[in-house]
Amino acid sequence: MDNKQPDSQISQFPNSYWHSHQRPHFSPLIQDESTEVAVIGGGIVGIVTAYLLAKAGKKVTLVEAREFFHGVTGHTTAKITAQHALIYNELIQTFGKEKARLYYEANRDGLDFIRETSKELNIDCDFEEKDAVVFASSAKGLKQIEKEARAYETLDINGTLTHGQLRDLPFETLAALTMPYQAQFHPVKYLKGLLDEVSRLGGQIYDRTRAVKLSKSDNTVTMENGAVLSYDEIVVASHYPFNDFDGLYFSKLSINRSYAIAGRINKPIPDGMYISAESPIRSLRSIPVENGNDLFLIGGDSHQTGKSNPPNQVHFENLLAFGKEWFELEEVEYHWSAQDMTTLDKVPYIGQMTRTSENVLVATGFNKWGMAMGVSAAKILTDIINGEENDYVELFDPTRNKLKGKDIQRFSKKNTSVGKNLLETKLQRPDKSPEDLDLDEGGLVSIGGKKLGGYRDENGELHLVKTTCSHMGCGLNWNNSERSWDCPCHGSRFSYSGDVLNGPAVKPLKKVDEKKSVE
């Protein structure tokens, strides 16, 4: 596999558009503390949960492993919608009409919350009401959209089915299903406003503090630096639960990466939020900017984390080619990717993490749709902690065990795949030595007969790590677009120098000194 960077305008390190806005910074937690509610994870779920609890008068401590918005919330397409591509027909089959309708209402409530709080707190977050549209360009996609339209009618969801060409899109479309009155926004601007409110209400906020161990016997969570946070109740909102062995979450979550680019186009920007019914997925939306020369976002090209074939960089190139072909894309100003998880039945796990841990709550598995649903997750968690009723608790209960045939098949396929991935990665053999690595190139290398992961940065410095995942021992694969080591078993990701980028791993990779490795 060629791990050299192609000659491309998107060959540099990825940079999310949302990161161009000033992000908040806090101090790390360096000494032992106690709190009523510990919230682990500074994405949309964690921040909204902390805000709601602080507003309710709870003593809240919010802890983020890295700097804020380095996770999925800072790498989203930032659509706030109850239209999750094609989902409602499947939900009816899995859960029945009543619960499928509840899923819709939960997402609608999340959208309403963002709209209302942005007004109430005077947060300028580029909130714009938009139609959400799923479109088909093939006969297969057409049939799927017609089924989804019938599901909308069954569930009394406001939506419109149209056949033929969409005027806003330059390529052929056969049908589209539109859900009106949805929205898009700038997640960093919005959540920064909520963080300001958490601080004003007395909440404690820490970043660069990674939680590594949860002790249910004495209600403590230990950080990587040794600091201990005692709690009465804890919310695990770290995207992938850092304590995933509780409840065996590693066995019931599938992890994928998807990609996005943003740049200026020479055609009118479509006035809506679009997503294709077929694969490869193409997700489209505008990004308003201050000078009025808006950017156009193109997303899609997903694959299982750690298992990209071709190399990861090609996915960005695919989006670039699509933009140039259909929208006269001039240049890519930003490009980034995100990591998303899907549960066995495609409905998030929100609530009590296991049957035996009443004061440990979790939210995970948003299936790429974490904005509106992430807010509703925070409301569910807050109501549970406050002892209040919530209509959505049963639907999202993480301890639900009514697996149907498709769910059992997904469970078996996923865990069989893990064993296969473990074997395949262990059997990989390097075909290079460190001297073969060019500047800004990485991959498996051999030193003295030892298999190591190597990356030579743009200054010529060589970075060597052991490519055994610190989570459960799987071998890692090189990601040439983000210069990271990715695990195909459970989705952990590490920087080229070994630092944890994505869980469930909490420990870094072992670094190797080149001189000592040949002794």
Side-chain angles (χ1 to χ4, degrees):
M1 181 180 291
D2 184 9
N3 286 315
K4 295 181 180 179
Q5 289 298 324
D7 183 16
S8 167
Q9 58 183 300
I10 52 175
S11 65
Q12 301 302 312
F13 278 76
N15 58 328
S16 167
Y17 169 76
W18 315 121
H19 287 180
S20 63
H21 183 71
Q22 183 178 7
R23 288 166 284 157
H25 297 283
F26 300 89
S27 300
L29 175 62
I30 58 175
Q31 59 186 17
D32 296 353
E33 289 192 12
S34 61
T35 188
E36 283 187 87
V37 186
V39 180
I40 308 300
I44 192 167
V45 177
I47 293 174
V48 177
T49 300
Y51 164 71
L52 290 172
L53 290 170
K55 190 177 179 182
K58 293 284 187 180
K59 182 180 180 182
V60 181
T61 302
L62 174 62
V63 179
E64 165 58 29
R66 302 170 71 193
E67 293 183 339
F68 276 89
F69 310 122
H70 271 279
V72 176
T73 299
H75 293 84
T76 175
T77 57
K79 297 177 178 180
I80 320 168
T81 176
Q83 186 190 74
H84 298 171
L86 303 173
I87 187 66
Y88 290 101
N89 179 64
E90 185 172 352
L91 289 179
I92 290 173
Q93 306 305 316
T94 306
F95 290 95
K97 297 177 185 177
E98 182 179 346
K99 289 187 175 180
R101 172 70 191 189
L102 281 174
Y103 181 93
Y104 166 74
E105 291 176 356
N107 283 279
R108 188 187 61 188
D109 287 353
L111 168 56
D112 290 342
F113 180 91
I114 295 174
R115 178 191 289 113
E116 292 163 7
T117 52
S118 62
K119 290 180 180 179
E120 176 189 342
L121 299 175
N122 196 27
I123 301 173
D124 181 6
C125 59
D126 302 334
F127 184 95
E128 295 181 299
E129 198 169 84
K130 295 283 185 180
D131 289 347
V133 184
V134 56
F135 62 88
S137 298
S138 68
K140 180 180 179 181
L142 168 61
K143 289 182 179 179
Q144 290 175 322
I145 281 182
E146 290 175 337
K147 280 185 179 180
E148 189 76 352
R150 290 193 290 271
Y152 277 33
E153 292 179 5
T154 299
L155 300 176
D156 194 25
I157 292 174
N158 184 9
T160 303
L161 173 67
T162 56
H163 290 87
Q165 183 64 41
L166 287 171
R167 289 181 298 174
D168 261 8
L169 300 183
F171 45 81
E172 182 183 14
T173 60
L174 301 180
L177 184 57
T178 301
M179 184 181 289
Y181 311 119
Q182 306 304 291
Q184 60 187 30
F185 76 145
H186 192 304
V188 172
K189 289 181 179 180
Y190 175 71
L191 293 171
K192 183 180 182 297
L194 290 191
L195 284 171
D196 290 341
E197 278 297 295
V198 173
S199 294
R200 188 185 68 80
L201 293 166
Q204 298 297 309
I205 305 175
Y206 300 98
D207 64 12
R208 292 163 293 155
T209 304
R210 183 175 296 278
V212 297
K213 182 181 179 182
L214 181 67
S215 175
K216 292 182 285 186
S217 62
D218 60 358
N219 288 356
T220 61
V221 56
T222 302
M223 310 303 168
E224 186 177 32
N225 62 9
V228 176
L229 179 63
S230 302
Y231 59 84
D232 297 328
E233 295 178 274
I234 187 168
V235 172
V236 180
S238 54
H239 190 56
Y240 200 123
F242 73 95
N243 57 326
D244 64 310
F245 284 85
D246 293 339
L248 304 179
Y249 278 76
F250 60 83
S251 69
K252 51 188 182 182
L253 287 167
S254 297
I255 306 93
N256 285 74
R257 292 198 72 74
S258 54
Y259 299 79
I261 61 174
R264 305 185 193 280
I265 61 176
N266 281 324
K267 287 189 174 184
I269 294 179
D271 186 25
M273 305 183 302
Y274 295 85
I275 191 166
S276 61
E278 305 93 349
S279 293
I281 295 296
R282 292 293 178 260
S283 177
L284 312 171
R285 63 156 286 189
S286 61
I287 298 178
V289 295
E290 291 182 0
N291 63 13
N293 193 4
D294 294 351
L295 298 175
F296 187 52
L297 186 155
I298 303 171
D301 245 56
S302 64
H303 63 86
Q304 182 181 332
T305 298
K307 294 190 69 175
S308 178
N309 187 18
N312 298 69
Q313 183 67 18
V314 173
H315 299 291
F316 285 122
E317 301 291 340
N318 291 341
L319 299 182
L320 173 63
F322 176 84
K324 285 186 173 181
E325 179 180 5
W326 296 110
F327 294 97
E328 297 180 13
L329 178 65
E330 289 181 330
E331 62 176 327
V332 175
E333 297 187 25
Y334 301 91
H335 69 290
W336 65 93
S337 65
Q339 187 135 307
D340 297 285
M341 290 171 298
T342 304
T343 68
L344 295 173
D345 54 22
K346 297 189 177 180
V347 168
Y349 301 133
I350 306 165
Q352 189 173 313
M353 190 165 188
T354 69
R355 296 183 185 277
T356 59
S357 54
E358 293 184 2
N359 65 340
V360 181
L361 306 180
V362 70
T364 189
F366 292 94
N367 193 22
K368 300 184 181 181
W369 298 101
M371 295 295 100
M373 193 64 248
V375 169
S376 281
K379 295 173 70 177
I380 293 168
L381 297 170
T382 300
D383 285 344
I384 292 173
I385 290 170
N386 289 332
E388 298 177 0
E389 293 293 321
N390 188 295
D391 293 337
Y392 307 125
V393 169
E394 183 182 353
L395 171 61
F396 297 103
D397 182 4
T399 65
R400 62 185 183 267
N401 58 5
K402 297 178 182 179
L403 293 181
K404 296 199 173 184
K406 284 187 178 180
D407 303 329
I408 294 171
Q409 289 176 12
R410 289 190 186 109
F411 179 86
S412 300
K413 183 178 180 181
K414 170 183 166 48
N415 289 286
T416 299
S417 175
V418 166
K420 182 180 179 183
N421 292 335
L422 175 60
L423 181 62
E424 287 178 349
T425 54
K426 289 295 185 183
L427 292 177
Q428 287 184 94
R429 289 290 175 262
D431 58 2
K432 292 187 176 184
S433 66
E435 292 73 22
D436 297 325
L437 295 177
D438 290 336
L439 298 182
D440 194 26
E441 182 183 6
L444 293 176
V445 296
S446 178
I447 300 180
K450 296 178 182 179
K451 180 175 71 172
L452 297 170
Y455 171 73
R456 191 174 299 281
D457 65 28
E458 293 179 335
N459 296 319
E461 182 179 352
L462 179 65
H463 303 265
L464 295 172
V465 295
K466 290 189 176 181
T467 56
T468 299
C469 183
S470 61
H471 176 237
M472 291 181 68
C474 289
L476 305 174
N477 290 324
W478 178 246
N479 176 337
N480 74 327
S481 68
E482 299 182 79
R483 289 74 163 180
S484 63
W485 292 102
D486 299 357
C487 180
C489 293
H490 302 104
S492 297
R493 296 180 57 247
F494 306 84
S495 70
Y496 60 77
S497 59
D499 296 329
V500 177
L501 298 176
N502 289 99
V506 295
K507 296 180 180 179
L509 300 179
K510 292 183 179 179
K511 298 180 181 181
V512 178
D513 183 279
E514 182 179 10
K515 293 180 180 179
K516 291 183 179 180
S517 66
V518 296
E519 291 178 354

